[in-house]
Amino acid sequence: MGRLSWASWLYIAAIVSAAAAILALVPRGSVGPGFWATCAALALLFLVCDSTPIMLGDRQWAWSPSSAATLAAVVLLGKHGGVGAAMVGSAAVFSVRRVPLAERLFNGAMYAVAGYAAGTTFQALHGQFVPFCSISDFLHGVPVSSAISNSFGMALWPFAAAAIVHVLVNHGLLWGMLLLDGHSRTAQPQARPTWGLPLLLASDIGFAALGLVIAALWAVFGAFAGAIVLVPLFVARWAMGQFADQQRAHAATLRALCQAVETKDFYTRGHSERVSRGAGMIAREIGMRADRAEAVRFAGMLHDVGKLGVPTKVLQKEGRLTEEEYAAIQLHPMRGLEIVRDIGFLNEALTGIMHHHERMDGRGYPMGFAGSEIPEFARIIAVVDAFDSMTSSRAYREATSIPDAIAELRKSAGAQFDPKVVDAFAAAVDRDGWPRQEPAQPRGHEILTSQDHDDPMAPLQVVERT
Ligand SMILES: [Fe+2]
């Protein structure tokens, strides 16, 4: 959290007040020492997990399987499961991690509210978990199969519902905070989470199932179960860490390729990132599936990677190109495909890279595809690519204003661009805005090229062959 707005502070105060009201419901005289001992052991387990999170995205999002401890409380503490889970979740306030006080309070209150909502759901669905054997029965091999199935039968579906409620409340409260705090985060685009929300929700619900495992072990081993479950919890944490590392490695691969292109062609500085962002805006506008939306952002990032295969003197040439030089530029989509086609995670993004210069009237390159023959990703990249080129300043002209660039896209819709994609992009820009481009300033030996192959307002000049 950066500097908070007053709305964010009000939001935190409301969540903390709700958590305080829930914790005030803690039964005092009506529970035995077992309730407090279970709460304390699970709160300790919660703290161990919460204090050793893995970092997601660009290391700005902490994740841990701590909610498994909260959900175990939901199951183990009977009719007081809601309040007990709230107490376990509120332990986040004492996390050993270095976090600002406001974030610490928000986290504790958020987990308390989510735990209470999960516990209330479990009780409302008449969830029960009857310990199916003692440690003595367990050690003496007493058969418990029917008791296990009965106990799980009574707990399973209410637990599944409680886990879903816990995850939804947790993420709902968190995203509320992010929306209110959005103005300070939009200043740093990389601070936004790069993970798809559905993926995060699904993995959280999956890891929440460990709460039931903890409860089952608790029935046999008592509080020692807390120590035993640390092993699967840390294996889960390790698996998520591996996945997060892989995501970061993908992002680093993309950044390295983009930097290589930007070094070669000064005009493309920041262009790849913006085309990627615009492609993501269109994907959101047309309701594209999360995995395809991520792939089209990759396509936007890498669409011009094939420039690495075009001689630098051609990219930076002033004046008219010869036919051979023009042919070299027209080859860049194919070169791009050759460069990145073995990168496994790109999948459908490859179609966007190869066909981003096709035109709806079939006069584009490299294949001369027309209309629906052009892959959807390529039709999306083509629109944002041209828009970003027009709204960036060039050596031969000033940047075009956003309304004029949208008007230019509409003028060429049908002939060059897919009209539906143009409409979607115009609506997305209207909703989200578009970052203002600072005029390009070359550094040191860098040369400002005098032509831009993406600029629909100034097509490349080619010498007629005599
Ligand atoms: Fe291109």
Side-chain angles (χ1 to χ4, degrees), residues 222-266:
F224 288 112
I228 296 169
V229 295
L230 277 177
V231 177
L233 284 178
F234 274 83
V235 169
R237 178 192 173 281
W238 174 82
M240 282 292 272
Q242 292 295 305
F243 185 59
D245 286 347
Q246 189 188 47
Q247 297 284 96
R248 277 193 287 273
H250 289 174
T253 305
L254 299 189
R255 273 199 299 271
L257 284 167
C258 286
Q259 269 171 11
V261 177
E262 292 183 358
T263 305
K264 201 172 166 77
D265 182 355
F266 180 79

Coordinates of all heavy atoms in Angstrom, one line a residue, residues 222-266:
G222 N -4.5 -34.6 17.6 CA -4.6 -33.4 18.4 C -3.8 -32.3 17.9 O -3.5 -32.2 16.7
A223 N -3.3 -31.4 18.8 CA -2.5 -30.3 18.4 C -1.2 -30.6 17.6 O -0.7 -29.8 16.9 CB -2.2 -29.4 19.6
F224 N -0.8 -31.9 17.8 CA 0.4 -32.3 17.0 C 0.2 -32.2 15.5 O 1.1 -32.1 14.7 CB 0.9 -33.7 17.4 CG 1.5 -33.8 18.8 CD1 0.8 -34.4 19.8 CD2 2.7 -33.1 19.0 CE1 1.4 -34.5 21.1 CE2 3.2 -33.2 20.3 CZ 2.6 -33.8 21.3
A225 N -1.1 -32.3 15.1 CA -1.5 -32.2 13.7 C -0.9 -30.9 13.1 O -0.5 -30.9 11.9 CB -3.0 -32.3 13.5
G226 N -0.9 -29.9 13.9 CA -0.4 -28.6 13.5 C 1.0 -28.7 12.9 O 1.4 -28.1 11.9
A227 N 1.9 -29.5 13.6 CA 3.3 -29.7 13.2 C 3.3 -30.6 12.0 O 4.1 -30.4 11.0 CB 4.1 -30.3 14.3
I228 N 2.4 -31.6 12.0 CA 2.5 -32.6 10.9 C 2.0 -31.9 9.6 O 2.7 -32.1 8.5 CB 1.5 -33.8 11.2 CG1 2.0 -34.5 12.4 CG2 1.4 -34.7 10.0 CD1 1.0 -35.6 12.9
V229 N 1.0 -31.1 9.6 CA 0.5 -30.5 8.4 C 1.4 -29.4 7.8 O 1.3 -28.9 6.7 CB -0.9 -29.9 8.5 CG1 -1.9 -31.0 8.8 CG2 -0.9 -28.8 9.5
L230 N 2.4 -29.0 8.6 CA 3.4 -28.0 8.1 C 4.0 -28.6 6.8 O 4.4 -27.8 5.9 CB 4.4 -27.6 9.1 CG 4.0 -26.6 10.1 CD1 5.1 -26.4 11.2 CD2 3.7 -25.3 9.4
V231 N 4.2 -29.9 6.8 CA 4.9 -30.5 5.6 C 4.1 -30.3 4.4 O 4.6 -29.7 3.4 CB 5.2 -32.0 5.9 CG1 5.9 -32.6 4.7 CG2 6.1 -32.1 7.1
P232 N 2.8 -30.8 4.3 CA 2.0 -30.5 3.1 C 1.8 -29.0 2.8 O 1.8 -28.6 1.6 CB 0.7 -31.2 3.3 CG 0.6 -31.5 4.7 CD 2.0 -31.6 5.3
L233 N 1.7 -28.2 3.9 CA 1.5 -26.8 3.6 C 2.7 -26.2 3.0 O 2.6 -25.3 2.1 CB 1.2 -26.1 4.9 CG -0.2 -26.3 5.5 CD1 -0.4 -25.5 6.8 CD2 -1.3 -25.8 4.5
F234 N 3.9 -26.6 3.4 CA 5.1 -26.0 2.8 C 5.4 -26.6 1.4 O 6.0 -25.9 0.6 CB 6.3 -26.1 3.8 CG 6.3 -24.9 4.7 CD1 5.5 -24.9 5.8 CD2 7.0 -23.8 4.4 CE1 5.5 -23.8 6.7 CE2 7.0 -22.6 5.2 CZ 6.2 -22.6 6.4
V235 N 4.9 -27.8 1.2 CA 5.0 -28.4 -0.2 C 4.1 -27.5 -1.1 O 4.5 -27.2 -2.2 CB 4.6 -29.9 -0.2 CG1 4.5 -30.3 -1.6 CG2 5.7 -30.7 0.5
A236 N 2.9 -27.2 -0.6 CA 2.0 -26.4 -1.4 C 2.6 -25.0 -1.7 O 2.5 -24.5 -2.8 CB 0.7 -26.2 -0.6
R237 N 3.2 -24.5 -0.6 CA 3.8 -23.2 -0.8 C 5.0 -23.2 -1.8 O 5.1 -22.4 -2.6 CB 4.4 -22.7 0.6 CG 5.1 -21.4 0.6 CD 5.9 -21.3 1.9 NE 6.7 -20.1 1.9 CZ 7.9 -20.0 1.3 NH1 8.4 -21.1 0.7 NH2 8.6 -18.9 1.3
W238 N 5.8 -24.3 -1.7 CA 6.9 -24.5 -2.7 C 6.4 -24.6 -4.1 O 6.9 -24.0 -5.0 CB 7.7 -25.8 -2.3 CG 8.7 -26.1 -3.2 CD1 10.0 -25.6 -3.3 CD2 8.7 -27.1 -4.3 NE1 10.7 -26.2 -4.3 CE2 9.9 -27.1 -5.0 CE3 7.7 -27.9 -4.8 CZ2 10.2 -27.9 -6.1 CZ3 7.9 -28.8 -5.8 CH2 9.2 -28.7 -6.5
A239 N 5.2 -25.4 -4.3 CA 4.7 -25.6 -5.7 C 4.2 -24.2 -6.2 O 4.5 -23.9 -7.4 CB 3.5 -26.5 -5.6
M240 N 3.6 -23.4 -5.4 CA 3.1 -22.1 -5.9 C 4.4 -21.2 -6.2 O 4.4 -20.4 -7.1 CB 2.3 -21.4 -4.8 CG 0.8 -21.9 -4.7 SD -0.1 -21.5 -6.2 CE -0.7 -19.9 -5.8
G241 N 5.4 -21.4 -5.3 CA 6.6 -20.6 -5.6 C 7.3 -20.9 -6.9 O 7.7 -20.0 -7.6
Q242 N 7.3 -22.2 -7.2 CA 7.8 -22.7 -8.5 C 7.1 -22.0 -9.7 O 7.6 -21.6 -10.7 CB 7.8 -24.2 -8.6 CG 8.7 -24.9 -7.7 CD 10.1 -24.6 -8.0 OE1 10.6 -24.8 -9.1 NE2 10.9 -24.1 -7.0
F243 N 5.7 -22.0 -9.5 CA 4.9 -21.5 -10.6 C 5.1 -20.0 -10.7 O 5.2 -19.5 -11.9 CB 3.4 -21.8 -10.2 CG 2.5 -21.4 -11.3 CD1 2.6 -21.9 -12.6 CD2 1.5 -20.4 -11.1 CE1 1.7 -21.5 -13.6 CE2 0.6 -20.0 -12.1 CZ 0.7 -20.6 -13.3
A244 N 5.2 -19.3 -9.6 CA 5.5 -17.9 -9.6 C 6.8 -17.6 -10.3 O 7.0 -16.6 -11.1 CB 5.4 -17.3 -8.2
D245 N 7.8 -18.4 -10.0 CA 9.2 -18.2 -10.6 C 9.1 -18.4 -12.1 O 9.7 -17.7 -12.9 CB 10.2 -19.2 -10.0 CG 10.6 -18.8 -8.6 OD1 10.3 -17.7 -8.2 OD2 11.2 -19.7 -7.9
Q246 N 8.3 -19.4 -12.5 CA 8.2 -19.7 -13.9 C 7.5 -18.5 -14.6 O 7.9 -18.0 -15.7 CB 7.3 -20.9 -14.1 CG 7.3 -21.4 -15.5 CD 6.3 -22.5 -15.7 OE1 5.1 -22.5 -15.2 NE2 6.7 -23.6 -16.3
Q247 N 6.5 -17.9 -14.0 CA 5.8 -16.7 -14.5 C 6.8 -15.6 -14.7 O 6.8 -14.9 -15.7 CB 4.6 -16.3 -13.6 CG 3.5 -17.3 -13.5 CD 2.6 -17.3 -14.7 OE1 2.9 -18.2 -15.6 NE2 1.7 -16.5 -14.8
R248 N 7.6 -15.4 -13.7 CA 8.6 -14.3 -13.7 C 9.6 -14.5 -14.8 O 10.1 -13.6 -15.5 CB 9.3 -14.1 -12.4 CG 8.4 -13.2 -11.4 CD 9.2 -12.8 -10.2 NE 9.5 -13.9 -9.3 CZ 8.6 -14.3 -8.3 NH1 7.5 -13.6 -8.2 NH2 8.9 -15.3 -7.6
A249 N 10.0 -15.8 -15.0 CA 11.0 -16.2 -16.0 C 10.4 -15.8 -17.4 O 11.0 -15.3 -18.3 CB 11.4 -17.6 -16.0
H250 N 9.1 -16.2 -17.6 CA 8.4 -15.8 -18.9 C 8.4 -14.3 -19.1 O 8.8 -13.8 -20.2 CB 6.9 -16.2 -18.8 CG 6.7 -17.7 -18.9 ND1 5.5 -18.3 -18.7 CD2 7.6 -18.7 -19.1 CE1 5.7 -19.6 -18.8 NE2 6.9 -19.9 -19.0
A251 N 8.1 -13.5 -18.0 CA 8.1 -12.1 -18.2 C 9.5 -11.6 -18.5 O 9.6 -10.6 -19.3 CB 7.5 -11.5 -16.9
A252 N 10.5 -12.1 -17.9 CA 11.9 -11.7 -18.1 C 12.3 -12.0 -19.6 O 12.9 -11.2 -20.2 CB 12.8 -12.4 -17.1
T253 N 11.8 -13.2 -20.1 CA 12.1 -13.5 -21.5 C 11.5 -12.5 -22.4 O 12.2 -12.0 -23.3 CB 11.5 -14.9 -21.8 OG1 12.0 -15.8 -20.8 CG2 11.9 -15.4 -23.2
L254 N 10.3 -12.1 -22.2 CA 9.6 -11.2 -23.0 C 10.3 -9.8 -23.0 O 10.5 -9.2 -24.0 CB 8.1 -11.0 -22.6 CG 7.2 -12.2 -22.7 CD1 5.8 -11.8 -22.5 CD2 7.4 -12.9 -24.0
R255 N 10.6 -9.4 -21.7 CA 11.3 -8.1 -21.6 C 12.6 -8.0 -22.3 O 13.0 -7.1 -22.9 CB 11.5 -7.8 -20.1 CG 10.3 -7.1 -19.4 CD 10.7 -6.4 -18.1 NE 11.2 -7.3 -17.2 CZ 10.5 -8.0 -16.3 NH1 9.2 -7.9 -16.2 NH2 11.1 -8.8 -15.4
A256 N 13.4 -9.2 -22.2 CA 14.7 -9.2 -22.9 C 14.5 -9.1 -24.4 O 15.3 -8.3 -25.0 CB 15.4 -10.5 -22.5
L257 N 13.6 -9.8 -25.0 CA 13.3 -9.7 -26.4 C 12.9 -8.3 -26.8 O 13.4 -7.7 -27.8 CB 12.3 -10.7 -26.8 CG 12.8 -12.2 -26.9 CD1 11.6 -13.1 -27.0 CD2 13.7 -12.4 -28.1
C258 N 12.0 -7.7 -26.0 CA 11.5 -6.3 -26.3 C 12.7 -5.3 -26.3 O 12.8 -4.4 -27.1 CB 10.4 -5.9 -25.3 SG 8.9 -6.7 -25.7
Q259 N 13.5 -5.5 -25.2 CA 14.6 -4.5 -25.1 C 15.6 -4.6 -26.3 O 16.1 -3.6 -26.8 CB 15.4 -4.8 -23.8 CG 14.9 -4.0 -22.7 CD 15.5 -4.4 -21.4 OE1 16.4 -5.2 -21.3 NE2 14.9 -3.9 -20.3
A260 N 15.7 -5.9 -26.8 CA 16.6 -6.1 -28.0 C 16.0 -5.3 -29.2 O 16.8 -4.6 -29.9 CB 16.8 -7.6 -28.3
V261 N 14.7 -5.4 -29.4 CA 14.1 -4.7 -30.5 C 14.2 -3.2 -30.3 O 14.5 -2.5 -31.3 CB 12.6 -5.2 -30.6 CG1 11.9 -4.4 -31.8 CG2 12.5 -6.6 -30.9
E262 N 13.9 -2.8 -29.1 CA 13.9 -1.3 -28.9 C 15.3 -0.7 -29.0 O 15.5 0.5 -29.4 CB 13.4 -1.0 -27.5 CG 11.9 -1.4 -27.4 CD 11.3 -1.1 -26.1 OE1 12.0 -0.6 -25.2 OE2 10.0 -1.3 -25.9
T263 N 16.4 -1.5 -28.8 CA 17.7 -1.0 -29.0 C 18.0 -0.8 -30.4 O 18.6 0.1 -30.9 CB 18.7 -2.0 -28.4 OG1 18.4 -2.3 -27.1 CG2 20.1 -1.5 -28.5
K264 N 17.4 -1.7 -31.3 CA 17.6 -1.7 -32.7 C 16.8 -0.6 -33.4 O 17.3 0.0 -34.3 CB 17.2 -3.1 -33.3 CG 17.8 -3.4 -34.6 CD 17.5 -4.9 -34.9 CE 17.7 -5.2 -36.3 NZ 19.1 -5.4 -36.6
D265 N 15.6 -0.4 -32.9 CA 14.8 0.6 -33.5 C 14.2 1.5 -32.4 O 13.3 1.2 -31.7 CB 13.6 -0.1 -34.2 CG 12.7 0.9 -34.9 OD1 12.9 2.1 -34.8 OD2 11.7 0.4 -35.6
F266 N 14.8 2.7 -32.4 CA 14.5 3.7 -31.3 C 13.0 4.0 -31.2 O 12.5 4.2 -30.1 CB 15.3 5.0 -31.5 CG 15.0 6.0 -30.5 CD1 15.6 5.9 -29.2 CD2 14.1 7.0 -30.7 CE1 15.4 6.8 -28.2 CE2 13.9 7.9 -29.7 CZ 14.5 7.8 -28.4

